[in-house]
Amino acid sequence: MSGPTRTDKIYIYFLLTMLLFALYLTYVIAGPFLHTIVFSGVVSLIFSPLFNRIQRRTGGRRTLAALITVLIIVVCIGLPLFFLTFGLVIQARDTFQALNVWARETDFAKLLDAHQLDQHLVWLREQLPFVQLDASDIQARLLEFSRNLGQIAVEAGRQLFTNTARLIFHLLLLVFIVFYFLRDGRDMVEKLRYLCPLRTEQEDLIIENIQRVARSVLVGTLFIAALQGLLGGIGLAIVGLPALFWGGVMALAALVPVVGTGLVWVPAAGWLLIQGQTGWAVFLALWCGVLVTSVDTVLRPLLLREASQVSTFFVFLAVLGGISAFGIAGILYGPLTLTFVMVMLRIYGEEYRDMLSDRCNCQPPSSDSES
């Protein structure tokens, strides 16, 4: 058969140009809500087994099943998290303001002398002569620290209340999108598969890997944060600090990259030390520094590695790179991107298996081997 004529090539190029332009316009329209759409898809994937179970109970009525599933998500997860976030911000503001007042009105010279901390300061100055610390210096630094934290809490509360309308809009949009993803998601996927030129098994490979990673990353991240908050709350209760509030704060802080739960337990241990409770301060530092931190250090790489089936080293780089590129959403986007790259490399390797084997004179890797 003869090749495409010039007219056919012009038609193909024009069609592709118009298609790319249409996709660009779609991105411009959906760009402001891209994160909401992505997280809606992930939430839909997580709750799709529940949706399928409810659909069977309702006689296959997808609209009713999707509505019931969304109501369960909103009532059992959405509303508690929403009100908990507001409560934590308000209580954090009040707590740091009280700490600011305490730091400003306390006589640190008497406090340090009463708890016999001067000898520790003398030892510290002997071992580290370049570090100059005294009662007034500690008071000034603690006052500055508490004032900064108080300002952060107040600003966070102000931003939260100022952007309440925008936050509620995105939450409602997420619920709306989740409803349609649950109800029509299967048809949407089938339409995309019809337009995709890949083979069926290749499409299945991409979809299955992305589903597994999305579920594991989000559920694993929330589970690890909740577990760290629970363990941290137990440690705080043992030393006599408000466990419920600060445990909740620690769970939220666990979602913050790098510093994590240290945002809570390090100042708490310092507070106990200033109060003269050196034993409890050491206990809390060991409890949180070893037990709570090890939960994130051990479980997160294992969960993400199981999800993406790649080396923990690459998962770690994917998470850091994702956070650097997308912020906190990079915790999800990084592993998803890594998984997509690994799947495409696997498809490429299988598609050109013979050519690659002949070129390097080596046996192709097994398809079920770890990447």
Side-chain angles (χ1 to χ4, degrees):
M1 296 179 62
S2 59
T5 63
R6 181 178 180 182
T7 303
D8 293 335
K9 291 182 179 180
I10 293 176
Y11 172 78
I12 293 173
Y13 293 148
F14 181 79
L15 179 61
L16 290 176
T17 302
M18 295 301 294
L19 177 61
L20 292 175
F21 182 65
L23 293 176
Y24 170 74
L25 292 179
T26 303
Y27 173 76
V28 171
I29 294 174
F33 316 108
L34 186 59
H35 292 317
T36 304
I37 294 173
V38 172
F39 278 95
S40 298
V42 174
V43 172
S44 302
L45 287 175
I46 293 174
F47 288 94
S48 58
L50 176 62
F51 166 76
N52 294 331
R53 189 177 298 111
I54 296 176
Q55 184 180 2
R56 290 193 296 268
R57 296 289 184 89
T58 56
R61 288 178 286 185
R62 292 195 295 179
T63 301
L64 179 59
L67 180 61
I68 295 175
T69 305
V70 168
L71 289 177
I72 292 175
I73 295 173
V74 171
V75 173
C76 297
I77 299 178
L79 290 178
L81 286 178
F82 183 79
F83 290 114
L84 177 63
T85 301
F86 271 92
L88 288 177
V89 171
I90 294 173
Q91 292 187 27
R93 179 196 59 192
D94 297 339
T95 301
F96 289 130
Q97 286 178 344
L99 178 61
N100 190 13
V101 173
W102 175 85
R104 186 172 59 252
E105 297 179 353
T106 300
D107 188 345
F108 273 69
K110 294 182 179 180
L111 180 67
L112 296 179
D113 182 66
H115 297 298
Q116 298 180 352
L117 294 181
D118 282 338
Q119 55 182 343
H120 300 290
L121 294 178
V122 172
W123 177 87
L124 183 62
R125 282 192 291 266
E126 291 177 352
Q127 301 299 322
L128 302 174
F130 53 89
V131 177
Q132 298 296 327
L133 287 177
D134 52 28
S136 59
D137 189 42
I138 293 178
Q139 183 174 14
R141 294 189 181 186
L142 183 60
L143 182 60
E144 181 183 2
F145 175 73
S146 62
R147 185 183 296 114
N148 291 336
L149 288 180
Q151 290 176 351
I152 292 174
V154 171
E155 180 65 20
R158 188 185 68 81
Q159 290 291 338
L160 184 61
F161 286 110
T162 302
N163 298 325
T164 297
R166 182 171 178 268
L167 177 62
I168 293 177
F169 170 75
H170 279 275
L171 291 176
L172 292 177
L173 180 62
L174 184 142
V175 171
F176 180 79
I177 296 175
V178 167
F179 171 80
Y180 279 98
F181 276 172
L182 289 173
R183 193 189 71 172
D184 304 326
R186 192 172 303 169
D187 297 335
M188 296 177 185
V189 172
E190 289 302 321
K191 290 179 181 179
L192 291 176
R193 295 181 66 161
Y194 170 77
L195 296 174
C196 182
L198 295 177
R199 293 195 296 270
T200 302
E201 62 273 14
Q202 295 174 337
E203 295 170 350
D204 291 338
L205 182 64
I206 295 175
I207 294 174
E208 290 172 1
N209 278 271
I210 290 180
Q211 284 180 340
R212 183 178 66 249
V213 172
R215 289 174 178 170
S216 299
V217 170
L218 191 58
V219 174
T221 299
L222 295 179
F223 171 75
I224 291 172
L227 184 58
Q228 286 186 290
L230 176 62
L231 293 175
I234 293 174
L236 292 170
I238 294 175
V239 300
L241 294 177
L244 182 61
F245 167 65
W246 289 112
V249 175
M250 192 174 292
L252 293 177
L255 301 175
V256 179
V258 183
V259 289
T261 56
L263 287 172
V264 177
W265 65 263
V266 171
W271 168 269
L272 293 173
L273 186 62
I274 291 177
Q275 292 293 320
Q277 305 179 35
T278 307
W280 285 125
V282 173
F283 169 80
L284 183 63
L286 292 177
W287 177 279
C288 295
V290 176
L291 181 60
V292 177
T293 305
S294 64
V295 171
D296 182 78
T297 305
V298 175
L299 289 185
R300 189 184 301 276
L302 290 178
L303 289 174
L304 299 186
R305 183 177 182 274
E306 179 65 22
S308 56
Q309 295 182 348
V310 296
S311 170
T312 304
F313 171 74
F314 290 109
V315 173
F316 178 74
L317 291 182
V319 172
L320 290 184
I323 292 173
S324 176
F326 303 104
I328 192 66
I331 295 176
L332 175 64
Y333 292 165
L336 281 178
T337 303
L338 174 65
T339 300
F340 180 71
V341 171
M342 300 305 296
V343 170
M344 294 309 300
L345 289 175
R346 177 175 172 180
I347 292 175
Y348 173 82
E350 293 178 351
E351 189 70 20
Y352 298 98
R353 179 186 299 265
D354 297 336
M355 182 186 302
L356 295 173
S357 300
D358 294 339
R359 182 179 180 183
C360 64
N361 296 321
C362 60
Q363 294 293 327
S366 175
S367 59
D368 57 353
S369 61
E370 184 176 298
S371 301

